[in-house]
Amino acid sequence: MKKIFLVSLISLLTFDGAHAAGAWWEHDTICRLSPSNCYATMGAGYFFDTTDPASWDITSNCWGKKYICADALKNTTGSDSVPMGRAEIADASRINSDFDINVLNGDCFGVRKTSSGGAMASVNGNFVRVWCAGILDNPDDEYLENGEITSGVQPTCTQLATNGYVGIQNGKCFGKHYDESQYAIQCDGETPTLIVLNGADPTGVSSNANIKTQADADNWFNKMHTIATGKQQ
């Protein structure tokens, strides 16, 4: 008898409470964005407009997309960025792996990956040298913060030497220029050799060598080479 009374009392309270506050099925469902599926934080580089159907991410079932820079996309034409949902971005066939799409680049995401403090940049899956401004002259070259890169054939030692350059790192880019009246550059394949002329010092320290002719330069270079290799007696 006590059990029956207790059950009746609970049922009565539940029924009255539902009418007083409204039954659970009469309330709006409270939803929270899942960061793993939706972009919970919006701002620069994101497309969020509940009045525009293009802002709806149909795969993730939520509003908001991320603008991906045109250069960071494969098989695209034009220079406009593209709003994309998480599933689209996760599709490797659409994203250029040379770009980091987690870095904001103005009003879209996607900057070219770099290393060595920006002196190397990813091109076609490989890191190539970023050449100091003025070394490359191909109109298809790409300009980065620290210099230029080319997706084509890299300049050879001989090509660089013709213009007085050596392909060594020069700060945050490659290519150091030497005054052709003071230095000569010889290439053994892709290995450059700097020949000091007229008493110039490649380290920037004044030399006491009295070099006036090419023969003097050759003798001085041989002497430096001997000292550098530790063969001096």
Side-chain angles (χ1 to χ4, degrees):
M1 185 68 181
K2 291 182 179 180
K3 291 183 179 180
I4 296 175
F5 176 78
L6 180 61
V7 171
S8 299
L9 181 60
I10 292 175
S11 300
L12 180 61
L13 290 174
T14 303
F15 180 80
D16 288 345
H19 277 274
W24 63 268
W25 57 82
E26 296 177 345
H27 286 276
D28 293 332
T29 302
I30 299 176
C31 298
R32 293 184 178 180
L33 293 178
S34 171
S36 61
N37 296 323
C38 307
Y39 295 110
T41 302
M42 295 295 171
Y46 291 95
F47 176 33
F48 182 81
D49 185 352
T50 56
T51 65
D52 189 339
S55 177
W56 174 255
D57 183 351
I58 190 171
T59 303
S60 301
N61 293 318
C62 51
W63 292 100
K65 293 184 177 182
K66 186 176 182 179
Y67 280 107
I68 304 299
C69 300
D71 290 341
L73 296 171
K74 293 180 180 178
N75 305 320
T76 58
T77 58
S79 58
D80 293 334
S81 58
V82 178
M84 301 175 68
R86 281 191 180 275
E88 295 175 292
I89 293 174
D91 184 355
S93 67
R94 302 193 62 180
I95 303 297
N96 187 334
S97 61
D98 290 325
F99 288 78
D100 187 344
I101 56 172
N102 294 312
V103 180
L104 185 64
N105 183 13
D107 57 0
C108 59
F109 285 85
V111 297
R112 190 174 289 278
K113 297 176 182 177
T114 60
S115 63
S116 302
M120 303 287 289
S122 181
V123 175
N124 297 327
N126 298 307
F127 280 91
V128 301
R129 294 176 175 180
V130 175
W131 298 98
C132 299
I135 294 179
L136 303 178
D137 56 7
N138 190 323
D140 294 329
D141 296 337
E142 181 179 338
Y143 295 89
L144 302 180
E145 181 180 357
N146 298 331
E148 306 167 50
I149 58 173
T150 177
S151 58
V153 178
Q154 300 298 311
T156 65
C157 176
T158 301
Q159 291 172 331
L160 292 170
T162 300
N163 297 315
Y165 284 95
V166 174
I168 59 176
Q169 189 166 345
N170 183 18
K172 294 184 177 181
C173 57
F174 278 82
K176 187 171 184 179
H177 186 266
Y178 287 89
D179 187 339
E180 295 173 77
S181 67
Q182 299 183 48
Y183 306 98
I185 303 169
Q186 290 185 350
C187 293
D188 180 8
E190 288 305 303
T191 302
T193 298
L194 191 65
I195 299 176
V196 184
L197 305 175
N198 302 322
D201 187 344
T203 64
V205 180
S206 177
S207 171
N208 293 324
N210 184 20
I211 300 176
K212 297 181 180 179
T213 65
Q214 184 62 52
D216 292 334
D218 292 339
N219 291 334
W220 177 243
F221 175 77
N222 290 333
K223 180 180 179 181
M224 290 191 300
H225 179 73
T226 299
I227 294 174
T229 56
K231 296 180 180 180
Q232 187 180 31
Q233 301 298 327

